[in-house]
Amino acid sequence: MAACWPEPIVSVQALSQTGLPTVPNRYVKPAHQRPIFKADQSDAEMEIPVLDMSDVWEKPEGLRRVRSACEEWGFFQMVNHGVNHALMESVRGAWREFFELPLEEKRKYANSPDTYEGYGSRLGVVKDAKLDWSDYFYFNYLPSSLRNPSKWPSQPPKIRELIEEYGEEVRKLCERLVETLSESLGLEPNNLMKALGGEDKVGASLRTNYYPKCPQPHLTLGLSSHSDPGGITILLPDEKVAGLQVRRGAGWVTVKSVPNALIVNMGDQIQILSNGIFKSVEHQVIVSSGMDRVSLAYFYNPRSDIPIGPIKQLITENRPALYKPIRFDEYRLLIRQKGPCGKNQVDSLLASINDDK
Ligand code: OGA
Ligand code: NI
């Protein structure tokens, strides 16, 4: 029998459109999880690194810059990444139009926790959980055997074509980035791709996030603190409104997106494969009372049915294997059941290997 949600799904967008003056209790986070807005932060001037990829790919110091960004931040913004700027704008615009369609139209794609594919408003199936202030549309893109454009929105008219075009460009970018990451770890260029299961077997999925306006942004989050479970994430942010915050020590840095940049971050599988050299860093999304926000997250993941553990060459006497190998299909179940929960999952793998000793 198909699994279902523990409570009826409420579209946050529809809720926001009622013009309600306060955030319903379901979305009010406990005090320690509530966001800190930039004006309240002491490290407000900190920024995630911005890398010009034409330098990274052409200059000898490029690999070193990538390495330090992945070790220290787990995140960087990329300019000159090769993805067509007009295409980025069009695909984001098409998704915005999709979310502006009447609720009945979007509901045709309502998802379930079996696969998460389609239109949804929650992550995790824990009854009475506090919910995030967002809706999303999610689907599989790779391997191509899992790609089914008939599950993608059919409105606005050009959206499927744009998804396909953007998906291909980002796939190529990810292949190139995986080589760059491999070399920056001191490995052969194709080593990391092999460890991910190979170009033809890796997975990819796309999630478009829609963060509606919120009457009390200080009480809730658009997306709770989490690290991405997969390989690398390529985020196409909304350039008009900030929202993404990245963990830095005890605080959060709000990303100021550079025009035409894509944001990349390391997921838990890269932390595992790199034996902890690269960090999958916690992040969250804050919402705004004046503006809604759209972002596209392209998740590039390992092949799902092979064990993923630290790459052999990165295990040394001084740096023994930090993580137990685990298959990605198994790993991903936790976030699908419990929803976003910081870095608990990758940390639990760390704990379990130590427990065995
Ligand atoms: C995500 C994510 C950030 C954003 O989808 O995993 O972290 O800015 N999104 O929407
Ligand atoms: Ni994320």
Side-chain angles (χ1 to χ4, degrees):
M1 204 184 76
C4 46
W5 302 110
E7 289 122 7
I9 292 293
V10 175
S11 148
V12 179
Q13 183 181 18
L15 191 61
S16 166
Q17 282 166 348
T18 65
L20 77 179
T22 56
V23 167
N25 193 38
R26 292 304 306 274
Y27 304 91
V28 176
K29 303 290 177 182
H32 69 279
Q33 285 175 8
R34 290 181 198 161
I36 299 167
F37 281 76
K38 201 157 182 187
D40 317 331
Q41 267 185 294
S42 54
D43 57 356
E45 294 313 310
M46 299 273 270
E47 304 262 347
I48 66 169
V50 178
L51 300 187
D52 181 332
M53 299 313 282
S54 58
D55 283 351
V56 165
W57 288 321
E58 279 151 31
K59 297 198 178 151
E61 72 274 17
L63 292 179
R64 197 182 41 74
R65 289 216 195 113
V66 168
R67 180 169 176 129
S68 92
C70 298
E71 281 179 352
E72 286 173 32
W73 287 88
F75 266 84
F76 57 93
Q77 299 199 54
M78 302 184 282
V79 294
N80 290 323
H81 41 64
V83 178
N84 184 291
H85 296 169
L87 175 61
M88 288 162 52
E89 175 108 26
S90 315
V91 74
R92 189 174 46 212
W95 277 108
R96 184 171 271 285
E97 279 182 55
F98 170 78
F99 281 99
E100 285 162 3
L101 293 172
L103 185 60
E104 312 87 77
E105 182 62 28
K106 291 175 290 205
R107 280 251 165 92
K108 291 182 186 160
Y109 303 91
N111 72 347
S112 87
D114 286 328
T115 65
Y116 274 87
E117 285 197 285
Y119 175 65
S121 299
R122 72 183 282 165
L123 263 172
V125 293
V126 179
K127 196 166 165 14
D128 295 325
K130 292 285 185 186
L131 302 180
D132 289 339
W133 193 264
S134 55
D135 303 322
Y136 61 84
F137 198 104
Y138 176 82
F139 57 82
N140 293 312
Y141 188 78
L142 292 176
S144 43
S145 58
L146 292 183
R147 186 185 315 167
N148 184 355
S150 70
K151 292 184 179 172
W152 305 354
S154 62
Q155 294 288 333
K158 281 216 149 159
I159 194 167
R160 288 187 182 166
E161 225 174 282
L162 288 167
I163 291 169
E164 196 100 44
E165 249 184 89
Y166 180 74
E168 278 318 282
E169 291 218 11
V170 178
R171 181 183 60 77
K172 283 187 235 149
L173 172 63
C174 287
E175 288 173 1
R176 196 161 185 198
L177 267 176
V178 166
E179 275 194 7
T180 305
L181 295 177
S182 193
E183 290 185 277
S184 73
L185 285 164
L187 304 169
E188 293 298 316
N190 65 357
N191 212 314
L192 183 56
M193 184 59 90
K194 271 198 211 146
L196 288 166
E199 260 169 39
D200 303 336
K201 295 284 167 46
V202 293
S205 54
L206 191 88
R207 189 171 69 220
T208 302
N209 299 297
Y210 181 80
Y211 303 99
K213 287 180 206 168
C214 176
Q216 293 176 299
H218 284 83
L219 297 183
T220 190
L221 285 165
L223 187 52
S224 294
S225 163
H226 66 284
S227 60
D228 292 348
I232 56 180
T233 304
I234 307 292
L235 185 82
L236 170 58
D238 195 318
E239 280 174 15
K240 294 200 190 71
V241 45
L244 175 62
Q245 296 192 317
V246 175
R247 168 72 82 191
R248 186 70 171 167
W252 297 95
V253 169
T254 305
V255 175
K256 276 201 218 104
S257 49
V258 169
N260 300 313
L262 289 168
I263 299 167
V264 58
N265 64 284
M266 304 298 113
D268 295 343
Q269 305 306 306
I270 294 290
Q271 179 171 325
I272 293 170
L273 287 160
S274 72
N275 201 19
I277 296 173
F278 288 174
K279 309 293 183 314
S280 148
V281 171
E282 258 180 279
H283 50 285
Q284 64 181 17
V285 176
I286 57 175
V287 289
S288 142
S289 58
M291 303 263 262
D292 58 2
R293 179 172 179 269
V294 175
S295 71
L296 271 68
Y298 182 104
F299 302 108
Y300 194 74
N301 296 330
R303 177 176 172 166
S304 64
D305 59 353
I306 56 169
I308 301 293
I311 293 178
K312 241 186 14 261
Q313 293 89 325
L314 302 175
I315 304 172
T316 60
E317 212 170 320
N318 291 334
R319 195 179 188 94
L322 287 176
Y323 306 99
K324 256 189 189 165
I326 182 170
R327 294 197 325 260
F328 185 57
D329 54 9
E330 206 184 315
Y331 189 90
R332 169 161 70 180
L333 281 179
L334 189 103
I335 193 163
R336 291 190 166 186
Q337 287 163 354
K338 294 207 175 147
C341 44
K343 290 208 62 171
N344 290 354
Q345 192 177 15
V346 68
D347 289 350
S348 77
L349 287 183
L350 189 63
S352 60
I353 204 163
N354 293 333
D355 288 350
D356 292 348
K357 284 195 180 149

